[in-house]
Every structure is written in structure tokens, then in C-alpha cells.
Amino acid sequence: MKIGFTLPQMGPLAHEAGEVARFADEAERLGADSLWVGDRLLAPIEPTVGYAGGDSIPEAFHSVLDPFAVLAVAAAATESAHIGTNILNAPWYAPAILARSLTTIDLVSAGRLLPGFGTGWSPEEYRAAGIPMEQRGARLDECLDALDELWSAGPARYEGRYWEVPPTNIDIKPAQRPRPPVYLAGFAPAALRRVARRADGWLPVCAPGARAFDPASINGPMATIRDFAEELGRDPVAIDLVLRVSPFPDASVDLIAQTIARAGDETGVDHVFVEMMNLAGTVDESLDGVQRILSATRG
């Protein structure tokens, strides 16, 4: 089982931005297989839609560092750990800008980037980004098409309804060829079909401490994805998944370790990462948590 952790990007940990490189280096030394960031833009005071189906925004989202900058620092500070995004809200970004940032990070990391994309859920964030939220699904599809074009050989050109890339020469390409593996999030039928149609992997989530781990919450959607993939002529077994373990603040190390073990034993998951923003108030506490979780899961 590959086990990763989120970088100090959100919540109290974000106030120690100067420690991102040390965290990444020490987490890798302790045995972390991957390091991750998310993508939050606002913490609305009166949210139209709350987090995770609620009516409020977690205090951790009041403090958020830029995901691209944090990933670049982690890429430069490490040698072997994958570095991933779960998730980048792709509809917020012009594809040419997104491709440039992700290509740079993949090159700095010597081909260790795992880019995960989604559409987000906050109307206020879409307003702040200047993007109509009702276009988010179509913009994600176009963004993925444009990234394929920008990361392909030869001059690039893309013209869609929402995004355009005029004909251009791009001599800098990602280290991974033909491109970094693309992961997509989401549980809705349209999201699962999109994974089956065009992604290299899916990004499910579980929340130890909020509810008991249910293997069916992963196995069911993954079976749907693979059924869709087979209908579309893709190899269903080739579609990967990485599980985000997002513990509630009162979740114990033992519960987190049990969740990881059950995911490995009862689903097809062989790569998880643990979200640390609810588990630690400082980078040192977060590193201690990394060590304890790895010890509990690996002995």
C-alpha cells in the first residue's frame, strides 16, 4: 500500500509556509510515498452551499496557500515521493496557464506529478474566479481536451466554446510522456462516466470519525466506472484510483490505520493519502502524525 499525506497548505499549518520544504523532505524520509495539495479560493461568510453537504465552511479554509507554489516547493525538496493535486478546480484556470504550471512542476519533480481535477462546489468561489458555475462541467471537458493538445507533440491549437489556444509552438513538455496521468474526482453519474471516458484514475474519499468505512462506497462507483469504460472500448483494469482519507478531528491514529487496512483488504485501493489539516496545529505535530500513522500501518 502506498501511503501519502497532505502538505502544510491549509488551516493552522498554512501559517508555517516557510516549513513546506522541511515537511516534504522529512515526510519522504519517514516513508511517505506521496504528498498532496487541494484547491480552495474563499471561505465565504454566508455560503450559498456549505462544505460536504453542510451549511458552513470549515475554519481550516480561512487559511490556504497557493497549490502550485506549494507543489513546486515540495517537488524541489524531494526525490522519490509522488506529488499530487486532489483536487484542482480546473474550470477556474485557462488551460494554457494550467498546462504551463503543471508542466513546470512535472519537470522540477522529474516526472512525479499526479494531477487530479474536479469542478468544486462553491458558487462564491466561482464568482471570485469570474467563471459561471453552470458551465463547470463543460469547461472541465474542454480544459482536458486543451491540455491533451498542449501536451502533445508539434504545434498546439485548441478552439472550444469556452477556451481557446491560438496556434502556438511549445517546446517545453512534461517529463512524463505522453503526459502526466490525469485523475478525476466526483461521485455523480456524469462524473463517473467522465472518469471512464478520459481519465487514468479516480479520486474517491472517506472520512474516518464521521462514519464507519464502507467498502461499497468505493467498490460500487468503481464497478460503474469500469462498466462504462468497457462500453467505451477502454481497458477497465487500467483505470487507477487513489483514496483520500479525510479524518474528522477526533479520529485516532488507530482508526485511521484501520481504515487504510480495510481499504487495502476490501477494495481495489493500493494508494491512499491522509489529509492532515484536522489532525495537527503545527508542522512538527503534522510530522509526528505522519510517523505515527506510518508506524501503525506498516509496523
Side-chain angles (χ1 to χ4, degrees):
M1 175 74 77
K2 298 185 185 73
I3 302 175
F5 301 89
T6 52
L7 288 157
Q9 183 207 1
M10 298 187 186
L13 301 175
H15 294 274
E16 297 185 62
E19 298 279 45
V20 169
R22 180 172 73 88
F23 176 91
D25 175 59
E26 293 196 20
E28 181 180 70
R29 180 178 56 78
L30 289 168
D33 296 297
S34 56
L35 300 166
W36 296 80
V37 296
D39 197 7
R40 292 268 62 85
L41 187 59
L42 298 179
I45 294 171
E46 297 181 358
T48 306
V49 179
Y51 179 66
D55 57 5
S56 62
I57 302 296
E59 188 173 349
F61 293 166
H62 295 194
S63 304
V64 180
L65 298 174
D66 177 77
F68 301 100
V70 171
L71 274 188
V73 171
T78 55
E79 296 181 354
S80 60
H82 284 97
I83 53 172
T85 68
N86 189 334
I87 58 170
L88 291 176
N89 291 311
W92 296 350
Y93 304 102
I97 295 173
L98 186 61
R100 183 180 64 181
S101 295
L102 295 179
T103 296
T104 301
I105 292 167
D106 196 51
L107 288 168
V108 170
S109 70
R112 291 182 281 129
L113 177 66
L114 300 178
F117 303 117
T119 58
W121 45 266
S122 170
E124 284 79 16
E125 288 184 323
Y126 270 85
R127 284 164 53 194
I131 300 296
M133 190 171 181
E134 64 271 16
Q135 299 172 359
R136 61 192 183 279
R139 283 180 178 269
L140 172 58
D141 284 329
E142 287 197 6
C143 182
L144 295 174
D145 289 338
L147 286 175
D148 282 345
E149 178 67 16
L150 289 158
W151 283 338
S152 66
R157 178 180 183 176
Y158 180 77
E159 186 171 347
R161 181 177 179 184
Y162 301 110
W163 299 117
E164 180 181 0
V165 179
T168 182
N169 292 306
I170 302 178
D171 292 338
I172 296 290
K173 303 292 184 182
Q176 299 178 82
R177 303 303 297 150
R179 56 164 174 72
V182 169
Y183 289 75
L184 295 175
F187 284 86
L192 299 180
R193 185 172 285 277
R194 183 181 286 114
V195 173
R197 188 173 71 251
R198 61 184 318 153
D200 300 293
W202 179 50
L203 298 171
V205 60
C206 68
R211 59 191 70 89
F213 178 72
D214 180 8
S217 68
I218 297 171
N219 292 335
M222 196 66 211
T224 298
I225 289 170
R226 288 182 168 147
D227 286 344
F228 284 153
E230 194 163 18
E231 290 174 12
L232 296 165
R234 295 190 64 195
D235 179 3
V237 179
I239 299 176
D240 190 25
L241 69 162
V242 179
L243 175 64
R244 175 164 63 102
V245 178
S246 184
F248 268 48
D250 59 352
S252 67
V253 168
D254 285 345
L255 178 59
I256 295 167
Q258 290 167 14
T259 300
I260 292 171
R262 289 193 64 192
D265 292 341
E266 301 175 44
T267 77
V269 171
D270 63 5
H271 189 172
V272 306
F273 74 93
V274 181
E275 200 164 55
M276 301 299 291
M277 69 180 183
N278 288 331
L279 302 179
T282 69
V283 166
D284 285 335
E285 289 175 359
S286 189
L287 284 167
D288 180 65
V290 168
Q291 185 171 31
R292 290 164 59 215
I293 291 168
L294 289 173
S295 294
T297 51
R298 294 175 174 167

